[in-house]
Amino acid sequence: MTAGRPITEEDLHAYVDGALDARRQVEVEEYLSTHADAAHRVAAYAGQRATLRAALAPIAEEPVPDRLNLAHLIEARRHGRTRSWLSPAGAGPWRSMAAAIALVLVGGVGGWSMHGMTAGRAPMTPVAMLTQEAMDNYRVYAADRTRPVEMPASDQEQLLQWVSQRLDRKVAVPDLSAAGYRFMGGRLVATPHGPGAMFFYDDSAGNRIAMLVRPMKLDGDAPMTEHRKDAVGGVTWANSGLGYSLVADAPPQALHPLADEARRQLRAKI
C-alpha cells in the first residue's frame, strides 16, 4: 500500500483514462509495481479502452448533422418541433449515438467484471504483463490498414527522439530488412506502467509484426520467453531496464530468430 489513502478501483480506472493528477498517478504506478493482480486488471482495462477507441473513431470523426446543431435544436424547441429529430428519418444518427454509448457502458462493465475473473489467478510476472500489453496493442493497431503508425519510417529520427523523451530512456529501432521485414514507423501507446513505444514492420506479403518497448521497474534484465494467446504469438525479454516484446500473428517459435536479431542489434545500439 502506498502512503496516504488506499488505491481504489476508481483510481485504477482513472489511471487508464489519464484522469489522475501527477501525484496520484505516481502513487498508482508504485501500487501496480507491487500488485500484479491489479496490474493485470489495468492491462485488460487499457486493452478494452484502446479497442473501443479504435472501433468508435469513424463515428467520432463524422460531422454533427445540421439538424442536431444546438442553434437548430433551440429553434425547433421554440416552434414545438422537437419530436422531428426522433422521427424514423432522423433516427440514424441517434442509433449510432446510442450504439456508441452502449459500447462505452459495456466497456466499463466489462472492465469491472475483470476483477472477479482475475482475482483468483496467480499474479502475472512483469514479463508476462509486458507481453499482454504488446498483444493487446497489436490487435488494435496491426489490423488498421490506413494508419497503424503515428509517424512513418521516413521520420525515424524524429520518432526516436519523441519516444525517447516520453519514455525518459534512449530507444532504438532494430533493422529487420535482412529477414524481409520493412520498418513502417511507430507510435506511442498507453500501458498500465506508463507510455510505451510500438514499432511496426511488414513484409512483401503484407504480414505485420510489432515490437513494444517500455521501461521495466522490475525484471529489468530477463531472458527471452515465448508466449502465445489465440492466434498471436510473442517473444519477450528485458535488457538494462528496458522491456521488449515482439509479437505477430505467428507462432512464437517462428518469431524467435527475429527476436534474437533484434536483441543483438539493440544491445549494440543502447
Side-chain angles (χ1 to χ4, degrees):
M1 182 180 296
T2 58
R5 59 188 176 90
I7 303 298
T8 66
E9 196 69 22
E10 287 73 18
D11 288 321
L12 299 183
H13 283 282
Y15 177 77
V16 172
D17 292 337
L20 295 176
D21 59 45
R23 180 177 179 180
R24 192 58 172 171
Q25 179 170 328
V26 170
E27 292 176 349
V28 171
E29 288 176 350
E30 291 177 352
Y31 176 83
L32 292 174
S33 69
T34 57
H35 293 74
D37 57 336
H40 183 211
R41 295 203 309 278
V42 168
Y45 301 161
Q48 292 169 1
R49 184 175 187 270
T51 300
L52 285 172
R53 286 175 64 88
L56 299 178
I59 297 174
E61 293 172 0
E62 290 179 358
V64 177
D66 290 341
R67 62 178 171 275
L68 298 183
N69 178 276
L70 180 59
H72 181 91
L73 296 180
I74 293 174
E75 184 66 19
R77 183 180 181 86
R78 287 174 178 171
H79 292 81
R81 291 185 284 111
T82 54
R83 292 183 58 83
S84 62
W85 8 296
L86 298 180
S87 63
W94 286 101
R95 283 198 296 268
S96 298
M97 194 178 302
I101 294 171
L103 280 173
V104 171
L105 291 176
V106 169
V109 173
W112 172 251
S113 68
M114 287 297 294
H115 173 77
M117 294 172 61
T118 61
R121 295 181 182 176
M124 293 181 70
T125 66
V127 167
M129 293 179 202
L130 177 61
T131 302
Q132 183 66 52
E133 294 160 12
M135 290 181 173
D136 287 341
N137 279 288
Y138 175 82
R139 289 188 181 97
V140 173
Y141 296 114
D144 189 338
R145 294 294 160 178
T146 303
R147 195 174 63 182
V149 300
E150 288 181 285
M151 298 183 68
S154 57
D155 295 329
Q156 179 173 331
E157 183 177 349
Q158 183 181 356
L159 169 65
L160 292 179
Q161 290 177 351
W162 177 44
V163 298
S164 295
Q165 181 180 18
R166 292 299 305 273
L167 272 61
D168 198 26
R169 293 289 303 271
K170 181 183 177 182
V171 177
V173 174
D175 180 0
L176 302 179
S177 58
Y181 284 92
R182 173 187 66 95
F183 178 57
M184 299 173 61
R187 66 187 310 128
L188 276 175
V189 297
T191 81
H193 304 90
M198 197 157 204
F199 303 118
F200 282 86
Y201 301 78
D202 66 356
D203 63 11
S204 58
N207 299 309
R208 292 180 175 177
I209 62 174
M211 185 182 74
L212 175 66
V213 53
R214 69 160 171 80
M216 299 282 281
K217 294 182 179 180
L218 300 175
D219 286 2
D221 287 281
M224 284 187 171
T225 56
E226 296 181 354
H227 305 264
R228 184 164 190 171
K229 185 174 182 182
D230 300 325
V232 180
V235 180
T236 305
W237 72 97
N239 185 57
S240 299
L242 279 176
Y244 304 89
S245 187
L246 190 73
V247 293
D249 289 314
Q253 298 84 352
L255 295 175
H256 214 125
L258 292 172
D260 285 333
E261 176 59 20
R263 182 174 63 175
R264 183 190 68 78
Q265 293 185 29
L266 291 168
R267 282 176 170 172
K269 291 181 178 182
I270 298 179

